[in-house]
Amino acid sequence: VCYMFAKTKTPTFIDNLTVEVDDIVPSPLHVVLLSEDGKICCKEQKIISTASSSFCIEGLSELPYGVYTLQCIQGDEIVECKAVKRI
């Protein structure tokens, strides 16, 4: 779980992954989900206009089980969280 401007709601996921954002983000938030070997599995861009909001990355059911890294990039700041795809 990350403790900066963004974090995953739970450390595990099955079909979708919820990301919580603590504050209004002044520029687009880039979200990248990486596999254990560093390949990009999912890439999204979100505009966060309200404080303490969350959004869901959907369509992850086809990913193999394992550990993934969620990168939340806002300007020059990068937050990384580990998330485990489980059964």
Side-chain angles (χ1 to χ4, degrees):
V1 177
C2 302
Y3 294 102
M4 294 176 131
F5 62 86
K7 62 184 177 183
T8 57
K9 188 171 184 174
T10 62
T12 60
F13 68 97
I14 298 173
D15 296 331
N16 54 56
L17 183 62
T18 301
V19 179
E20 295 179 333
V21 181
D22 295 335
D23 205 353
I24 296 171
V25 178
S27 60
L29 179 67
H30 299 275
V31 180
V32 181
L33 187 65
L34 302 169
S35 64
E36 286 183 277
D37 58 1
K39 293 182 181 171
I40 295 174
C41 301
C42 180
K43 195 173 188 179
E44 292 190 17
Q45 181 174 308
K46 298 288 183 181
I47 303 293
I48 307 299
S49 56
T50 59
S52 299
S53 63
S54 64
F55 61 90
C56 190
I57 301 170
E58 297 179 334
L60 303 177
S61 61
E62 299 298 317
L63 293 177
Y65 303 116
V67 179
Y68 291 84
T69 301
L70 179 73
Q71 291 183 333
C72 297
I73 306 161
Q74 197 274 312
D76 294 336
E77 192 174 4
I78 299 175
V79 174
E80 290 190 347
C81 304
K82 294 291 182 192
V84 178
K85 167 82 188 256
R86 63 180 181 85
I87 297 173

